[in-house]
Amino acid sequence: MELYIGKQHGEIGLENAEALMAQYPQYAKRALTSAIRSESWRLKNVIRDTIRGNGPGGSWPGLNPHTGVLNKAAKGWVKNYRKSRYRFTAKGTIKYKKAVNIYRDRMLSTKTRALQKLAGGTRYTYDNDLMVSEIGFLSGRSPGATTVLAKKHAQGFNVPVTPRSRRWAFALGFPLKKGTSLLNIPARPVVGPVFEKEKGRIVQNINKKVPEKIMEYIQKAGRA
């Protein structure tokens, strides 16, 4: 009997699992399922809290102070440009409706921690027939946006700087050097480091909870 934590991070054997299944066939599977689901829930929360704490041990690089500004511009300002005081043109520049410095308080962001919205995307699934649990950023059978985003940030990636994006960034108070051709997004892994840190505790918790659950079921049956 094995507990799988992610397809790329190995597997964990459980002590005496086969013996327990043979000795208490009417209780062992139920107890093991309960223990695995409980531990999966704990690990899901560990991953979530690790993200909220800025990575394992707070080790993730902080956000560039312009990141929040650029993200907000890409998601909100462009989408709702008709209601705003400024517009993005096809050439990547901004035309102002009023001759005022409207981006003065938007040049820098107070956000310092990365991927905070990703914390809420942590899930776990349990296959009752295979008795296999998966914990991470799961989006059903096909990879969803959250899964793809998590994988990209776990490895790190680069964003090309085009002439248009250079003008766009400058208009938002983020001037880039002429020689800057790429924006580097550093690696911010979470699932792998959490598994490596927690794998010893996973084994201890499962091995402790399974016999406890079996005894609990036996006692309940005796009282009944």
Side-chain angles (χ1 to χ4, degrees):
M1 197 65 63
E2 296 162 331
L3 175 67
Y4 293 85
I5 312 294
K7 295 181 179 179
Q8 299 182 11
H9 300 296
E11 54 199 45
I12 295 177
L14 304 179
E15 297 175 5
N16 304 320
E18 293 182 1
L20 286 170
M21 295 292 283
Q23 189 173 0
Y24 304 103
Q26 69 273 47
Y27 302 124
K29 182 176 180 179
R30 179 182 169 193
L32 188 56
T33 294
S34 177
I36 292 176
R37 290 179 71 96
S38 175
E39 190 63 7
S40 298
W41 176 264
R42 185 187 73 83
L43 289 169
K44 176 187 77 72
N45 291 334
V46 171
I47 293 173
R48 179 201 63 192
D49 294 341
T50 299
I51 295 173
R52 291 176 177 173
N54 203 43
S59 60
W60 282 354
L63 286 177
N64 183 294
H66 295 280
T67 300
V69 178
L70 298 178
N71 286 343
K72 187 175 182 180
K75 296 177 181 178
W77 298 354
V78 174
K79 182 179 179 180
N80 301 314
Y81 76 95
R82 295 183 185 279
K83 299 180 181 179
S84 66
R85 295 181 295 173
Y86 41 84
R87 293 189 182 186
F88 294 92
T89 70
K91 295 182 179 180
T93 58
I94 289 182
K95 290 183 178 179
Y96 302 106
K97 292 185 179 180
K98 294 183 179 180
V100 294
N101 183 9
I102 65 171
Y103 63 83
R104 180 180 178 184
D105 60 345
R106 298 187 177 96
M107 292 176 65
L108 297 177
S109 173
T110 58
K111 295 180 179 180
T112 59
R113 297 186 176 186
L115 304 179
Q116 294 304 292
K117 290 185 178 180
L118 195 62
T122 313
R123 302 283 187 272
Y124 88 88
T125 61
Y126 181 73
D127 188 309
N128 192 55
D129 294 328
L130 298 176
M131 301 182 73
V132 170
S133 181
E134 290 186 80
I135 305 100
F137 307 101
L138 309 175
S139 305
R141 294 182 178 180
S142 59
T146 303
T147 305
V148 173
L149 180 65
K151 288 182 177 180
K152 285 184 64 176
H153 282 279
Q155 300 172 358
F157 58 98
N158 294 317
V159 177
V161 175
T162 64
R164 179 176 180 178
S165 63
R166 186 187 303 278
R167 292 192 296 269
W168 181 67
F170 178 82
L172 293 169
F174 186 22
L176 299 171
K177 293 181 179 179
K178 188 175 182 180
T180 302
S181 59
L182 294 172
L183 296 180
N184 175 257
I185 288 76
R188 293 185 173 98
V190 60
V191 175
V194 166
F195 172 74
E196 290 300 321
K197 180 181 178 181
E198 296 288 330
K199 61 183 180 181
R201 187 175 176 183
I202 294 170
V203 174
Q204 293 175 0
N205 288 347
I206 296 292
N207 286 322
K208 179 175 180 292
K209 290 177 181 178
V210 170
E212 288 179 350
K213 281 294 181 181
I214 289 177
M215 292 305 299
E216 177 185 328
Y217 301 149
I218 290 174
Q219 290 171 1
K220 287 182 178 179
R223 288 195 297 270

